[in-house]
């Protein structure tokens, strides 16, 4: 049986989903070199509704084995751009 993965919940004082997504993008740019963090799986939730999560990145699997690095809900085709 594989070892369980752990999730770090990082509360903020931000009051909008867009601002929280921008912070998540800044953290991804800043800490992207840390290979133990799966930034593609980043989600957001309201403080009192943590069971309801919103994806930050599309993260769709691509034919070449990579993942889409565009924001969730993007228009057009998925692409292997870096998470930003």
């Amino acid at each position: 049986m594989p070892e369980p993965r752990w999730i770090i919940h990082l509360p903020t004082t931000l009051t909008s989903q867009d601002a929280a997504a921008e912070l998540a993008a800044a953290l991804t740019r800043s800490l992207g070199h840390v290979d133990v963090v799966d930034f593609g799986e980043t989600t957001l939730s309201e403080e009192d509704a943590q069971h309801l999560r919103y994806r930050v990145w599309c993260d769709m699997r691509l034919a070449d084995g990579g993942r889409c690095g565009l924001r969730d809900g993007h228009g057009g085709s998925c692409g292997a751009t870096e998470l930003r």
Side-chain angles (χ1 to χ4, degrees):
M1 176 173 239
E3 293 290 322
R5 293 179 13 162
W6 290 90
I7 307 297
I8 297 171
H9 301 276
L10 182 65
T12 71
T13 58
L14 299 170
T15 58
S16 81
Q17 185 176 350
D18 288 339
E22 286 303 318
L23 176 59
L27 290 170
T28 298
R29 288 189 300 273
S30 176
L31 299 173
H33 65 281
V34 179
D35 62 357
V36 297
V37 179
D38 185 356
F39 290 102
E41 293 292 326
T42 302
T43 59
L44 306 172
S45 65
E46 291 183 27
E47 182 177 26
D48 293 331
Q50 293 183 33
H51 62 283
L52 182 59
R53 296 179 180 237
Y54 301 91
R55 296 185 65 82
V56 174
W57 310 109
C58 174
D59 207 35
M60 176 79 67
R61 289 190 187 274
L62 302 174
D64 67 0
R67 291 185 175 269
C68 178
L70 300 173
R71 293 283 182 96
D72 191 47
H74 65 83
S77 300
C78 288
T81 61
E82 292 185 28
L83 300 176
R84 46 189 158 102

